[in-house]
Amino acid sequence: MTVGVGFTAVEIREFVHAYYVQPRGQKLSWLAAQGVPYDRLRQWRTTVFEGDLDRRLVPREGSAMTVPSPKRTALEKARAAERAAHEAEVAALSKRIRELEGTNEALGKAIGLLHALNEHEPDEPPTSSDPSTS
């Protein structure tokens, strides 16, 4: 049985995770807006949580060792919170990188100006060979 022809494993996994973070009572309308039938979602969900999505293996029906739906929802909400925290951290680090790059650019310009000033100054004081000027 093929799982999600035309979709990558990453896309299917993200789609299933996005489904679980939808508010209660809005999942079916969200699913309809995405244009994916519920039966396909069920197959993808089973493959993501109990099968092997990367190898496109769907488990047999009737497995007693499944994760209950409420627990899946809780796991997905925790995953969404973790992802939001990571995105916030990445944004903060990106901002810090831009600040440091600006500082480096300013320091580079300052060093360039110092080198330019040193080029115009004489290296040694002028010495006069005329004894009458001393």
Side-chain angles (χ1 to χ4, degrees):
M1 176 183 296
T2 60
V3 178
V5 175
F7 294 93
T8 66
V10 172
E11 290 171 336
I12 292 172
R13 188 174 288 115
E14 290 302 317
F15 187 88
V16 170
H17 294 311
Y19 172 80
Y20 273 99
V21 295
Q22 298 303 313
R24 183 178 173 95
Q26 296 180 9
K27 290 182 180 182
L28 287 178
S29 61
W30 179 83
L31 192 60
Q34 302 302 315
V36 175
Y38 184 74
D39 290 338
R40 179 170 289 163
L41 171 74
R42 272 190 27 233
Q43 182 188 31
W44 288 355
R45 180 179 60 200
T46 303
T47 306
V48 167
F49 289 113
E50 298 157 19
D52 188 350
L53 181 61
D54 295 325
R55 294 189 327 179
R56 306 288 179 150
L57 297 176
V58 181
R60 291 187 207 177
E61 296 293 323
S63 174
M65 308 244 335
T66 61
V67 178
S69 185
K71 191 170 185 177
R72 286 181 186 169
T73 302
L75 288 171
E76 290 307 317
K77 287 183 180 178
R79 182 179 181 271
E82 183 178 318
R83 176 177 267 170
H86 285 163
E87 288 174 359
E89 182 179 6
V90 166
L93 291 173
S94 296
K95 180 182 176 187
R96 182 68 177 142
I97 287 170
R98 285 190 299 276
E99 290 172 359
L100 291 174
E101 286 174 344
T103 302
N104 283 345
E105 186 177 335
L107 285 174
K109 289 179 181 179
I111 290 171
L113 287 173
L114 287 175
H115 284 300
L117 288 175
N118 284 339
E119 288 175 1
H120 295 297
E121 293 180 5
D123 291 336
E124 297 177 12
T127 58
S128 96
S129 58
D130 187 14
S132 64
T133 58
S134 19

